[in-house]
Amino acid sequence: MIDKRAESAAAAVADVRHGATIMIGGFGEAGSPIELIHALIDAGPRHLTVISNNTGSGRVGLAALIARGQVRKMICSYPRSANSMVFPELHRRGEIELELVPQGTLAERIRCGGAGIPAFYTATAVGTVLAQGKELRRFDDSEYVMERGLRADFSLVKADRADRYGNLVYRRTARNFGPIMCTAATTTIVQVREMAEVGAIDPEHVVTPGIFVDRIVVIPEPQQESVLVKEGRCYP
Amino acid sequence: MIDKRAESAAAAVADVRHGATIMIGGFGEAGSPIELIHALIDAGPRHLTVISNNTGSGRVGLAALIARGQVRKMICSYPRSANSMVFPELHRRGEIELELVPQGTLAERIRCGGAGIPAFYTATAVGTVLAQGKELRRFDDSEYVMERGLRADFSLVKADRADRYGNLVYRRTARNFGPIMCTAATTTIVQVREMAEVGAIDPEHVVTPGIFVDRIVVIPEPQQESVLVKEGRCYP
Amino acid sequence: MKGWNREEMAQRVAEDIPDGAYVNLGIGIPELVAQFVPRDREFVFQTENGLLGMGPTPPAGSEDPELINAGKKAVTAIPGAAYFHHADSFIMIRGGHIDVCVLGAMQVSARGDLANWSTGEADAIPAVGGAMDLVAGVKRILIVTEHTTKTGEPKIVAECTYPLTGRAVVDRIYTNLAVLDVTGEGLIVRELAPGVTLEEVQAKTGVRLLTSTPECAR
Amino acid sequence: MKGWNREEMAQRVAEDIPDGAYVNLGIGIPELVAQFVPRDREFVFQTENGLLGMGPTPPAGSEDPELINAGKKAVTAIPGAAYFHHADSFIMIRGGHIDVCVLGAMQVSARGDLANWSTGEADAIPAVGGAMDLVAGVKRILIVTEHTTKTGEPKIVAECTYPLTGRAVVDRIYTNLAVLDVTGEGLIVRELAPGVTLEEVQAKTGVRLLTSTPECAR
């Protein structure tokens, strides 16, 4: 019987190796799989390339992973925000690389990585420094830049509910990068608030079909990044 | 107040001009907007380019539109099936052009047309006659063919329910090409079984957000293509 | 007071947005536009992090950290809203489905080039978010900004010196002093704020302005 | 009877599909595979028209014209199924998420080229459907077919003469006579159907076959 539940967050991320590329869901704290990230900090792989829209805040979650020196390179659209000190400091010191990608291009690159599309063209960033060094091409009298699909070894995603097949539903704007990141990794690990019985999620309402999910970890009461930051918490 | 309901199917398709490009939803009869197609037959525009997965069956719906000589060219993946005589006859006589596109490439071309992506690469059809004359390119030691996004002047789509904003939900495998065709036309016309009050469709369950829909026609009891074909019906 | 304040600027922008428009609002003054929807119109607000039908800020205490806008502030969803993932969200943006985007600016050039994401300084941490996607994809780009920087330097210039967000993307500029259209001939002053003269606007602008209608010379 | 019948061929295919596999079945003999899922395994069937978790044919009278498979036949959805649109469906296919695809064939070459969509005749109406997407994207392509055409011509050939569906895409071939693997060295006979000799298989095959294990020579 198919059952994708993992024993624990620790077990789910245990095979992440040094040098892996990891997609991490979330837009700010919404959808950030903080318990999976903390398990990754405990597991300790280094030289990671992380693909995530932001770089975390305070000293928990993604920011803590970066602070521990486990991340070699960030691919993101918005690496600073309120309470985001860790990445800027390390980047200014030259200790972490940054590939800055416009948000929509980042999303499409991830989707294409999952969809077997190695490259596509977009008008976004044409005429800006973010298109420098990239191939330009005209279609129908407009100029476009070629962008490559992005794939990862692992995706860490937060959803709301799952069934044993891995079918997922999300909650409000915490959906953000989750569904596309689930498609673009060799191994997709999802933390959910609760399991649903098979059949309890209406097939019309499934957002991520189970085929894109490999491991499910149930975290009934996930921590909230902004609360931890406000409390001055630091992981580990 | 935003209210996208049109008075009738006839009113909804009245401005389709000769030579227009039209996407028509459906996979076989599932999702085929038969009442909108019949309204288009009544309206009478000719020299149409139609983008649809199939070419209809019997002498109703899309097959009837083709039989009336209104279609100059079909872009589709599967132009024959049981009870599909109209297109094959006209095509053998050289009276209708065919652009055959693999089904997944057709779907992605439509999605890209709606997403502002002029072209993308896929491994589908590489090494076959359907890649002939198309640009090939290697990425990471595999060969891909470049395919162009597809757009239309109008999309005719069948959904199950809509609210006045145009938010749509579909029913089972009748969803098929509807959601992507809604995004890829200048004017998207949707027939639905019933209207929903605003707020009655859970924002988590919306499949096509209203931004992609221009006109809604309510057809409470849509005809079923296979039943009409079995009865030997002929439109008009 | 001479000129328009922030609220008046936002209101002036809102007046130009047609009924039924799909609108994306940037951070800062653009956010205020949502407070000035004309009584007889309905706008649908999109936020690129996955919500169409964004409603007003929730009352204090009922914020949901999983219901936020692109500026990561708590928002609400109106009845008839829809949630979607990021790739679908940027179908709306890149695909030209959003009618109007209102953004702030660091600089705008006479040709409509926009710089609003980076100072380009060596030690700055660049952060672009969805700005480049919005200016490339949305049908109409409206800029709302103070006419000059805090130190009095013109923000409307012959050529942007900051890194561009997009080239020739701006349609109209709303400042505390005037409304200007970007045209093939250059920047045309469409309207002056109360008590503001054309000479004063010109003096605070880094490029020669054109006028189209007599009332602009008042 | 000598050799395998259609059901036995389908059953033989099913035995090779691992537990938990995501499977797409073509029309004809491939459809029968769904009837032979080994008792201790669970397969999830995908149909490219937008359903993951396809169940068996419904009882007569309870067909739903809006719940069909890629062959446009009425099907059911199992508990835990999901519906999705065509672009999302082909993310699964093109993106390599489907583990196994079982297809019929008109011809298969020694290199694993597959022809199964068109005779290439001048007046034929070509119809490709999702075949080219499936062979390009799915991890493992299994072909199940009669060993020869109705007129006795080999279907397993040195070079396909019909238009290709894909080049070097087939992993394994199941016929009424044998199971063959496509390898870099050529076609290797892995198994013979009951009462079938290697010589007989070779005689009905248009290309030289290799054997790997002694039992294939039985």
Side-chain angles (χ1 to χ4, degrees):
Chain A
M1 192 179 81
I2 296 171
D3 190 345
K4 298 184 177 176
R5 268 171 289 193
E7 266 177 50
S8 63
V13 303
D15 57 348
V16 179
R17 297 274 168 265
H18 293 305
T21 295
I22 306 191
M23 292 182 181
I24 300 182
F27 181 87
E29 70 173 321
S32 181
I34 193 164
E35 281 78 11
L36 292 180
I37 299 170
H38 288 169
L40 193 63
I41 291 173
D42 296 345
R46 301 175 68 87
H47 310 299
L48 303 175
T49 295
V50 171
I51 301 165
S52 192
N53 190 63
N54 306 101
T55 57
S57 63
R59 294 235 162 210
V60 295
L62 178 52
L65 184 73
I66 295 169
R68 294 272 287 191
Q70 290 177 249
V71 182
R72 183 186 72 75
K73 178 181 177 179
M74 280 297 315
I75 301 177
C76 69
S77 91
Y78 210 87
R80 59 176 155 77
S81 51
N83 304 312
S84 166
M85 309 84 59
V86 170
F87 177 85
E89 279 172 30
L90 285 179
H91 187 60
R92 285 201 187 90
R93 292 211 305 264
E95 290 173 19
I96 188 167
E97 202 182 323
L98 169 65
E99 179 179 341
L100 190 72
V101 183
Q103 195 174 139
T105 297
L106 180 64
E108 191 64 18
R109 290 181 67 188
I110 294 166
R111 180 190 176 276
C112 284
I117 295 172
F120 65 97
Y121 294 89
T122 175
T124 298
V126 168
T128 77
V129 295
L130 295 192
Q132 274 173 13
K134 292 181 177 170
E135 183 177 321
L136 296 174
R137 182 158 174 169
R138 293 191 83 79
F139 293 99
D140 305 329
D141 284 336
S142 292
E143 202 161 32
Y144 298 87
V145 59
M146 191 178 81
E147 293 282 355
R148 298 296 307 275
L150 272 175
R151 286 194 57 82
D153 300 305
F154 294 87
S155 279
L156 308 186
V157 165
K158 183 185 190 178
D160 191 48
R161 290 199 304 154
D163 65 22
R164 66 174 171 85
Y165 287 111
N167 292 309
L168 305 180
V169 292
Y170 299 81
R171 194 170 165 278
R172 301 186 164 179
T173 57
R175 187 184 301 197
N176 58 67
F177 283 90
I180 51 176
M181 287 183 172
C182 283
T183 71
T186 306
T187 303
T188 292
I189 308 168
V190 181
Q191 72 169 69
V192 297
R193 196 177 45 79
E194 65 177 20
M195 292 300 293
E197 284 302 308
V198 163
I201 303 175
D202 186 327
E204 304 280 10
H205 302 161
V206 170
V207 175
T208 292
I211 192 171
F212 300 120
V213 173
D214 298 288
R215 301 172 192 167
I216 302 164
V217 179
V218 181
I219 308 285
E221 293 181 1
Q223 294 175 289
Q224 205 179 301
E225 187 179 291
S226 57
V227 171
L228 298 181
V229 172
K230 200 173 290 174
E231 292 172 352
R233 299 283 198 89
C234 190
Y235 194 88
Chain B
M1 194 179 82
I2 296 171
D3 190 345
K4 297 184 177 177
R5 268 172 289 193
E7 266 177 47
S8 64
V13 304
D15 56 348
V16 178
R17 297 274 169 264
H18 295 305
T21 295
I22 306 191
M23 292 183 180
I24 300 182
F27 181 86
E29 69 172 323
S32 181
I34 193 165
E35 281 77 12
L36 292 180
I37 299 170
H38 288 171
L40 193 62
I41 292 173
D42 298 343
R46 301 176 68 87
H47 310 297
L48 303 175
T49 295
V50 171
I51 301 166
S52 192
N53 191 62
N54 306 101
T55 58
S57 63
R59 294 231 162 213
V60 295
L62 177 52
L65 183 73
I66 295 169
R68 293 272 286 190
Q70 291 177 248
V71 182
R72 183 186 72 75
K73 179 180 178 180
M74 281 295 316
I75 301 177
C76 70
S77 91
Y78 209 85
R80 59 176 156 79
S81 51
N83 304 311
S84 165
M85 309 84 58
V86 171
F87 177 85
E89 279 173 30
L90 286 179
H91 187 59
R92 286 201 187 91
R93 292 212 303 266
E95 290 172 18
I96 188 167
E97 202 181 322
L98 169 64
E99 180 178 340
L100 191 72
V101 183
Q103 195 173 142
T105 297
L106 180 63
E108 190 65 18
R109 290 182 66 189
I110 294 166
R111 180 191 176 275
C112 284
I117 295 172
F120 65 97
Y121 294 90
T122 174
T124 298
V126 168
T128 79
V129 295
L130 295 192
Q132 275 173 13
K134 291 179 177 172
E135 183 176 322
L136 296 174
R137 182 159 174 168
R138 292 191 85 79
F139 292 98
D140 306 328
D141 285 336
S142 293
E143 201 161 32
Y144 298 87
V145 58
M146 190 177 82
E147 293 282 355
R148 299 294 308 275
L150 272 175
R151 286 193 56 81
D153 299 305
F154 294 88
S155 280
L156 308 186
V157 165
K158 184 185 188 178
D160 191 48
R161 290 199 304 153
D163 64 22
R164 66 174 172 84
Y165 288 111
N167 291 310
L168 305 179
V169 292
Y170 299 80
R171 193 171 165 277
R172 300 186 166 180
T173 57
R175 188 185 299 197
N176 59 66
F177 283 90
I180 51 176
M181 287 183 172
C182 284
T183 69
T186 306
T187 303
T188 292
I189 306 169
V190 182
Q191 73 169 69
V192 296
R193 197 178 45 78
E194 64 176 22
M195 293 300 295
E197 284 301 308
V198 163
I201 303 174
D202 186 327
E204 303 281 10
H205 302 161
V206 171
V207 175
T208 292
I211 191 170
F212 298 120
V213 174
D214 298 290
R215 301 172 191 166
I216 302 164
V217 179
V218 181
I219 308 285
E221 293 182 1
Q223 294 176 289
Q224 205 178 303
E225 187 179 290
S226 57
V227 171
L228 298 181
V229 172
K230 200 173 288 173
E231 292 171 354
R233 300 285 197 88
C234 192
Y235 194 88
Chain C
M1 202 191 98
K2 208 170 65 170
W4 285 310
N5 64 23
R6 288 161 58 95
E7 282 71 22
E8 287 163 339
M9 288 159 69
Q11 184 165 13
R12 184 61 195 79
V13 172
E15 284 168 13
D16 282 353
I17 300 177
D19 186 31
Y22 290 93
V23 180
N24 181 297
L25 301 177
I27 296 168
I29 306 177
E31 289 176 89
L32 302 177
V33 170
Q35 300 174 18
F36 295 101
V37 180
R39 217 156 292 240
D40 56 344
R41 297 183 212 169
E42 185 174 15
F43 302 164
V44 180
F45 294 105
Q46 195 252 18
T47 179
E48 59 262 38
N49 55 313
L51 169 60
L52 184 70
M54 182 174 67
T57 306
S62 65
E63 297 90 350
D64 177 349
E66 295 190 333
L67 181 46
I68 58 174
N69 67 11
K72 304 193 176 86
K73 290 182 189 146
V75 294
T76 52
I78 64 166
Y83 298 111
F84 36 82
H85 63 60
H86 254 81
D88 280 352
S89 180
F90 283 88
I91 289 182
M92 298 178 191
I93 291 168
R94 195 189 313 99
H97 303 279
I98 310 273
D99 297 302
V100 176
C101 180
V102 186
L103 291 170
M106 293 159 63
Q107 290 177 328
V108 186
S109 84
R111 273 193 314 275
D113 296 351
L114 173 66
N116 76 345
W117 71 283
S118 167
T119 59
E121 284 162 27
D123 71 338
I125 303 296
V128 66
M132 288 187 183
D133 307 280
L134 285 161
V135 300
V138 173
K139 286 178 201 153
R140 198 166 161 77
I141 301 294
L142 308 181
I143 298 300
V144 55
T145 176
E146 299 292 331
H147 206 89
T148 58
T149 66
K150 281 171 189 161
T151 57
E153 298 296 310
K155 289 182 137 196
I156 301 168
V157 293
E159 291 282 346
C160 296
T161 54
Y162 292 132
L164 294 187
T165 309
R167 220 181 266 286
V169 294
V170 174
D171 294 288
R172 185 169 264 204
I173 308 166
Y174 302 78
T175 76
N176 51 319
L177 304 181
V179 178
L180 303 99
D181 271 344
V182 179
T183 76
E185 285 72 48
L187 294 175
I188 300 182
V189 180
R190 291 290 180 204
E191 196 175 325
L192 293 169
V196 175
T197 66
L198 184 62
E199 291 66 36
E200 190 177 348
V201 176
Q202 180 62 74
K204 293 182 172 175
T205 304
V207 62
R208 189 81 214 144
L209 298 175
L210 308 173
T211 57
S212 57
T213 53
E215 93 263 23
C216 281
R218 73 188 169 193
Chain D
M1 201 189 100
K2 209 171 66 171
W4 286 309
N5 63 23
R6 289 162 57 95
E7 282 71 22
E8 287 163 339
M9 288 159 69
Q11 184 165 12
R12 184 61 195 80
V13 171
E15 284 168 11
D16 282 354
I17 300 176
D19 186 31
Y22 290 93
V23 180
N24 181 296
L25 300 177
I27 296 168
I29 307 177
E31 289 175 89
L32 303 176
V33 171
Q35 299 174 18
F36 296 101
V37 180
R39 219 157 290 241
D40 56 344
R41 296 182 213 171
E42 185 173 15
F43 302 164
V44 180
F45 294 105
Q46 194 253 18
T47 178
E48 59 263 36
N49 54 314
L51 169 60
L52 185 71
M54 182 173 67
T57 305
S62 65
E63 297 90 351
D64 177 349
E66 295 191 333
L67 181 46
I68 59 175
N69 67 11
K72 305 194 175 85
K73 291 183 189 145
V75 295
T76 52
I78 65 166
Y83 298 111
F84 35 83
H85 64 60
H86 254 80
D88 280 352
S89 180
F90 283 87
I91 289 181
M92 298 178 190
I93 292 168
R94 193 190 313 100
H97 303 279
I98 310 275
D99 298 303
V100 176
C101 179
V102 186
L103 291 170
M106 293 158 64
Q107 290 177 328
V108 186
S109 85
R111 273 193 314 275
D113 295 351
L114 173 66
N116 76 346
W117 71 284
S118 167
T119 59
E121 283 161 28
D123 71 338
I125 303 296
V128 67
M132 288 188 184
D133 307 281
L134 286 161
V135 300
V138 173
K139 285 179 202 153
R140 198 164 161 78
I141 301 294
L142 308 182
I143 299 301
V144 55
T145 177
E146 299 293 331
H147 205 89
T148 58
T149 66
K150 282 170 189 162
T151 58
E153 299 296 310
K155 290 182 138 196
I156 300 167
V157 293
E159 291 282 346
C160 296
T161 55
Y162 292 133
L164 295 187
T165 309
R167 219 183 267 285
V169 294
V170 174
D171 293 288
R172 184 169 267 204
I173 308 166
Y174 301 78
T175 77
N176 51 319
L177 304 181
V179 177
L180 303 100
D181 271 343
V182 180
T183 75
E185 285 73 48
L187 294 174
I188 300 181
V189 180
R190 289 290 179 206
E191 197 174 324
L192 293 169
V196 175
T197 66
L198 184 61
E199 292 65 35
E200 190 178 348
V201 175
Q202 180 63 73
K204 293 183 172 175
T205 305
V207 63
R208 190 81 215 145
L209 298 174
L210 308 173
T211 56
S212 57
T213 53
E215 93 262 25
C216 281
R218 71 185 167 194

